[in-house]
Amino acid sequence: MGAIFSQPPSPSHSFESAETYCNMLESLIQKRYQEAIMYCSPATSQPCRRIYRNWHPDDHQRQEKQLEHIPSRFLLSYPAEKYSLVRDDDHSPIVNPYFNLSGLFFCATGSPMESEADETGAGAGGPVATSPYGKTRFQVEFGQLQRLMFPSFKLYFADHYKVVGDWYVQLIVVPSWNVKLEEQCVQQHMIELDIQSNPFFYRGDDGQYWVSNSPKLWVELFIGCDTIPTTEFGEVVESQLHAKVRKTRNRLSEQEERERHARVIENVSKDLAKLAEGLRQGLGPMDRELVDLTYSLSMTRTQLGVLQSTPVATVELEQKEEESREK
């Protein structure tokens, strides 16, 4: 993301209600949207080869997670952090006293088309060679990610701001199944963009995604997925570290980790209610895969219930016994 210093959202605020805050935010977003349109005029773009995000080896928020019992690795969303910007009315629709969106930021801005490509795919319109967020990088073609994880989605304009000499545009990718995120975008009066016609990030008639290449502009996509598997598509590569290193908080407290996973479960439960209604209405095929997924969800629910019903001392004892057997 664009700014250097970050802080958790402050619980104190001067607005009487979320509605009052959202009304204020509506005019602010409209103003920033018009400024972004002007900055990107005349609109020019280049193919978006891959979207990407980096992390430092000690950054436990951004780095890949490894499941214990299967060889899958994935990225896990976490509540966004408020970045301190030097601007009037520094209010963010992504994180503020009333809303803290959950998802994963990716950079869509590519290197100049005329630059030389390297073995990792950087250069020649691919990802830029350096990153301030770490040397380890996950990169994936947006079209591939979109087809597999959110075949239908909406795109919202969220923010436009300047840091040092660079400008940033933040867009929200809302999968059709992410009920909570869409509600949050609508409540805050974010501007829904035409996916096939806007100056920032769009899909061409042939399915190719394009990103603005206006000078000194970075386009960031906030993708509303709680988890993104990194072993099923895309690739993890090493890139160069930018001179201006930026870090998020390296470790979370146990309570913050609990809150992080609780948010995922809450989001899933809300989305499942919508999906269940879609099933009743005849959406999607009624086949063996649906049956397997349904009972897999049921078993996961049971396992979570058992886990919370088991005394902590019993869990710790079982873990020690398992460790001793492995020795």
Side-chain angles (χ1 to χ4, degrees):
M1 293 187 292
I4 298 177
F5 301 106
S6 63
Q7 60 189 29
S10 172
S12 61
H13 49 81
S14 58
F15 296 91
E16 295 180 357
S17 66
E19 182 179 2
T20 304
Y21 184 84
C22 290
N23 290 337
M24 178 278 301
L25 208 54
E26 179 178 16
S27 60
L28 208 54
I29 292 175
Q30 287 286 348
K31 175 176 176 289
R32 293 171 184 172
Y33 175 70
Q34 293 301 326
E35 291 172 349
I37 292 289
M38 290 180 61
Y39 186 82
C40 294
S41 181
T44 59
S45 59
Q46 66 181 47
C48 179
R49 305 297 190 199
R50 293 178 179 87
I51 60 173
Y52 53 98
R53 62 181 281 122
N54 286 53
W55 60 86
H56 299 282
D58 58 347
D59 192 331
H60 293 265
Q61 286 199 95
R62 295 175 65 93
Q63 68 180 202
E64 281 183 304
K65 305 298 177 184
Q66 174 76 55
L67 294 179
E68 291 186 5
H69 304 297
I70 56 178
S72 296
R73 297 191 306 276
F74 61 94
L75 300 175
L76 179 66
S77 68
Y78 54 90
E81 293 181 326
K82 176 68 177 69
Y83 277 69
S84 299
L85 303 174
V86 181
R87 62 176 176 178
D88 295 332
D89 298 320
D90 183 22
H91 299 284
S92 167
I94 295 176
V95 52
N96 56 59
Y98 297 99
F99 300 91
N100 195 343
L101 308 191
S102 184
L104 289 160
F105 268 109
F106 282 81
C107 183
T109 298
S111 54
M113 296 296 293
E114 64 275 11
S115 60
E116 186 175 346
D118 65 19
E119 66 277 4
T120 70
V128 297
T130 65
S131 171
Y133 293 105
K135 293 194 293 185
T136 306
R137 166 178 291 170
F138 172 68
Q139 56 189 27
V140 63
E141 180 193 347
F142 180 83
Q144 181 189 26
L145 183 70
Q146 175 256 314
R147 289 189 296 272
L148 293 174
M149 298 202 67
F150 41 94
S152 176
F153 71 99
K154 293 181 179 180
L155 187 67
Y156 288 88
F157 173 89
D159 209 350
H160 173 59
Y161 57 85
K162 186 178 183 181
V163 177
V164 190
D166 293 335
W167 286 92
Y168 292 80
V169 164
Q170 291 183 333
L171 308 178
I172 312 294
V173 176
V174 184
S176 59
W177 44 257
N178 195 326
V179 180
K180 183 176 181 180
L181 183 58
E182 182 169 3
E183 288 178 350
Q184 292 173 324
C185 290
V186 172
Q187 281 180 278
Q188 296 188 94
H189 306 287
M190 293 189 204
I191 299 170
E192 184 178 352
L193 302 176
D194 185 337
I195 295 172
Q196 294 185 299
S197 180
N198 71 79
F200 313 120
F201 183 79
Y202 66 93
R203 181 175 61 217
D205 294 336
D206 60 353
Q208 170 68 56
Y209 284 89
W210 294 72
V211 63
S212 172
N213 59 0
S214 294
K216 291 186 174 296
L217 179 71
W218 296 88
V219 177
E220 297 181 327
L221 303 179
F222 185 82
I223 298 180
C225 293
D226 293 313
T227 57
I228 292 182
T230 56
T231 46
E232 296 182 18
F233 41 73
E235 57 184 345
V236 176
V237 299
E238 291 297 309
S239 64
Q240 301 172 39
L241 188 63
H242 194 278
K244 295 182 178 179
V245 176
R246 301 174 187 172
K247 288 189 176 184
T248 56
R249 296 168 61 201
N250 292 335
R251 291 186 180 276
L252 300 178
S253 67
E254 179 181 329
Q255 186 56 42
E256 288 173 323
E257 283 286 8
R258 286 178 177 273
E259 177 63 25
R260 178 184 192 179
H261 288 80
R263 285 167 60 99
V264 173
I265 295 173
E266 287 175 348
N267 293 345
V268 168
S269 65
K270 192 163 190 175
D271 296 335
L272 287 177
K274 179 183 178 181
L275 294 170
E277 185 58 33
L279 181 61
R280 291 191 181 94
Q281 295 174 1
L283 299 180
M286 182 64 210
D287 56 13
R288 185 65 198 176
E289 183 179 8
L290 174 65
V291 174
D292 290 347
L293 286 171
T294 300
Y295 285 97
S296 175
L297 286 169
S298 177
M299 181 54 68
T300 300
R301 183 271 314 274
T302 301
Q303 290 172 331
L304 281 170
V306 170
L307 189 63
Q308 293 189 8
S309 302
T310 305
V312 176
T314 303
V315 174
E316 292 176 348
L317 179 59
E318 290 176 351
Q319 289 176 341
K320 290 180 180 178
E321 290 177 349
E322 184 176 347
E323 291 173 0
S324 63
R325 284 196 298 270
E326 291 176 352
K327 293 179 180 178

